[in-house]
Every structure is written in C-alpha cells, then in structure tokens.
Amino acid sequence: MRILVVCGAGASSTFVAQRVRRAALERGLDHSASAGTSRSLPIDLDTADIVLVGPHLAAEIDRIRDAAAARSVTVVLLPDDVFADVTGTRTLALVEEALHVRQPADTI
C-alpha cells in the first residue's frame, strides 16, 4: 500500500506520513507513506494508492479528486484534528476504512 499525504508546503504532511508509516510498521503492515505538496501531486499520483489530503486544502479537494480519479487513486480529506493523532493509528484507520469501502471520492 502506497500512501501519499498532501499538504500545502510539505511540512505538516511529513509529520502525518511519518506517524502513519510507524503505525503501519507496528501492526506489521507493508505500507509506505510519503509526503507531498499540492504542486507535486500530478507527479506523485503515479506512485500512490491513496492520497490523504490535509484539511487546509479542502478548497482544492475537487481538483485533487479529479486528478486522482484519472489514475484510480482513492482520496481522503483528513479531519481538522489529524495533527493531534500523534501515534498515527487513527489516520491509519481512516486509510483502511476508505480502502475497504472503496469509495474514492468520499471524505472521511
């Protein structure tokens, strides 16, 4: 599973990606998680199975969903309090829920 976490400049997405990667590792899951920006998204989508979008990019979610849909990549708009998930377990649960349901355009 290749998880891409997207934010505006890449700083906050780096923290979320590290946390979700650690949570997956602790559960023995073969998931990778990397950080990206809304500007790098067109390139980064080619190597992602799911995109987690920072809540501050909510205004761009339709554009991101359109780009992801062309590549059959699931998109999840993260909740406002995602940065409080210091263990990454709640964010990982959002990933698993989104992929289990397979509704690429749903916001969780």
Side-chain angles (χ1 to χ4, degrees):
M1 171 69 50
R2 299 167 303 175
I3 303 165
L4 173 63
V5 184
V6 176
C7 72
S12 57
S13 59
T14 298
F15 292 114
V16 174
Q18 288 173 342
R19 293 169 180 171
V20 77
R21 184 173 41 241
R22 185 178 22 198
L25 182 63
E26 288 174 0
R27 289 199 31 219
L29 300 173
D30 186 24
H31 293 359
S32 66
S34 59
T37 67
S38 58
R39 293 186 133 190
S40 69
L41 191 61
I43 296 167
D44 295 338
L45 276 173
D46 290 332
T47 60
D49 296 309
I50 186 168
V51 177
L52 307 180
V53 180
H56 51 289
L57 295 178
E60 297 184 46
I61 196 68
D62 289 336
R63 180 186 63 80
I64 294 169
R65 284 184 176 141
D66 289 345
R71 294 172 177 92
S72 299
V73 175
T74 301
V75 174
V76 175
L77 179 61
L78 293 170
D80 290 334
D81 64 348
V82 68
F83 305 109
D85 180 22
V86 295
T87 65
T89 56
R90 194 171 122 236
T91 306
L92 181 59
L94 292 172
V95 168
E96 292 173 334
E97 183 178 335
L99 293 176
H100 178 30
V101 175
R102 296 303 297 177
Q103 294 177 350
D106 273 2
T107 301
I108 296 176

